[in-house]
Amino acid sequence: MPISPVLERQATYPFVRLNEAAARVEARGVTVLDFGMGDPMEPTDPLIREALVAGLRDRMGYPAAVGLPELREAVAAWAGRRFGIELDPDREIVPTLGSKEAIFSFAQIAVDLERGKDTVAYTEPGYPVYERGALFAHARPLALPLLEEHGFLPDLDAIDVDTWGRLAVFWVNYPNNPTGAVAPLAFYERLAQLARVHDFVLASDEAYTELWFVEPPASALQLADRTNVAVFNTLSKRSSMTGYRSGFVAGDPELVAALKAFRPTIGTAPQEFVQRASVVAWGDETHVERTRALYARKRALFLDLFGRKGIRVAGSEATMYLWLEVPAAESSEGFAQRLLEHGVLVAPGSYLGAAGEGYFRLALVPSEEECARAVEILQEVL
Ligand SMILES: Cc1ncc(COP(=O)(O)O)c(C=O)c1O
């Protein structure tokens, strides 16, 4: 059977391994509280759900890849309020089916092997889709470690001129999954400048910009010059809408035009009723404020526990994740396994990339009650 060697070489998606381990523990009768994956378990706001139902028609034809004008206008209006910027809904925005598919396929529109633009850079530990998208586009993946001593930002000075020249895409993700670190606007300014000099795309995955606790994080959309810049955002985390699949790409009109040319072939426009629900979601901040307050309460519970237990919190300025140092003498995987035996599932940092060894990630997604239960368990175990 002809199966792509890229697919055959692929390791099991780390969370599949994690869920298999959890299933083995559950089979022994232990209830597992799942802090592993970042899938919000809170109900989606009723106004959004009602808009979805109201969007159903007798006949729903194929959704157009460019999306409903109302949705692009809602995104532009949101970005205007949130970042104080102007986006042209027709030339600078395209809706996506959540952001994962758009992140995965982006290398296919940017990589140009004939011209030697063969490299896709991304940071690790991190979301695995940047690398997989690069591999399936037959590009050269370049993993850049996120180290605490650099504030969990990639070390741009460590990249040589030859590599800059070969870059097609440079992925960054702030607020960062898994470290919870944020990037200052100056970081985007420097990288966007390099993107123009060396002619690559600065692809900024901003899935977590709305989950903050102190001050709203910056966006690459705030750059005065967005040439060679593409920003990916989503309703998944901001509005607890992972199951709806709704996001957008915004930025350089030339890139948006390329996406509009590419996307009809793969058929990844969100369903029209999802787009109508999304208009409501981007238009309302009340539910987002409630969501932030909820994560802040859960976060405080754990910060208090880890403070008492001497577990060091690293990064963790924003996002739904806490990034924590594994106690000395234990590996990330061994530590996570130990917690799992007691019914608390966390992600070993090493599952998210080699530079994640020595850390573990806690996704604050279970209910407040479950968080309180996990704190009681960890109070005994740690
Ligand atoms: C860093 C990052 N980017 C993108 C996504 C994709 O989100 P979605 O496809 O639900 O929009 C996730 C999901 O966990 C993520 O962690």
Side-chain angles (χ1 to χ4, degrees), residues 165-188:
R166 288 175 66 178
L167 277 184
V169 185
F170 194 133
W171 283 104
V172 293
N173 164 227
Y174 294 97
N176 182 250
N177 169 15
T179 67
V182 298
L185 188 56
F187 171 76
Y188 294 121

Side-chain angles (χ1 to χ4, degrees), residues 28-47:
R28 296 206 312 262
V30 178
T31 303
V32 173
L33 300 166
D34 190 350
F35 295 86
M37 233 164 88
D39 192 352
M41 294 178 204
E42 299 304 324
T44 303
D45 191 88
L47 283 179

Side-chain angles (χ1 to χ4, degrees), residues 38 97-101 103 127 130 173 175-177 205-208 233-237 241-242 245-247 321 361:
L97 195 69
S99 49
K100 188 182 206 171
E101 57 86 8
I103 291 169
Y127 191 51
Y130 318 118
N173 164 227
N176 182 250
N177 169 15
D205 173 4
E206 303 188 359
Y208 296 94
N233 211 324
T234 169
L235 289 170
S236 287
K237 318 288 171 167
M241 286 171 68
T242 45
R245 314 310 298 134
S246 184
Y321 305 110
R361 187 190 76 177

Side-chain angles (χ1 to χ4, degrees), residues 52-63:
L52 179 94
V53 173
L56 266 180
R57 305 273 183 274
D58 289 349
R59 174 187 175 269
M60 308 288 309
Y62 285 118

Side-chain angles (χ1 to χ4, degrees), residues 72 75-76 79 85-96 106 109 196 201-204 206 219-233 248-260:
R72 282 182 276 113
V75 168
I85 57 153
E86 259 183 53
L87 286 176
D88 178 341
D90 293 329
R91 296 174 61 244
E92 293 180 290
I93 299 171
V94 67
T96 58
F106 193 67
I109 72 147
R196 287 188 289 272
V201 179
L202 162 55
S204 183
E206 303 188 359
S219 164
L221 287 174
Q222 289 167 286
L223 292 167
D225 183 354
R226 291 190 291 262
T227 311
N228 285 39
V229 174
V231 171
F232 297 66
N233 211 324
F248 69 83
V249 183
D252 188 329
E254 212 180 304
L255 288 169
V256 169
L259 286 165
K260 284 181 183 170

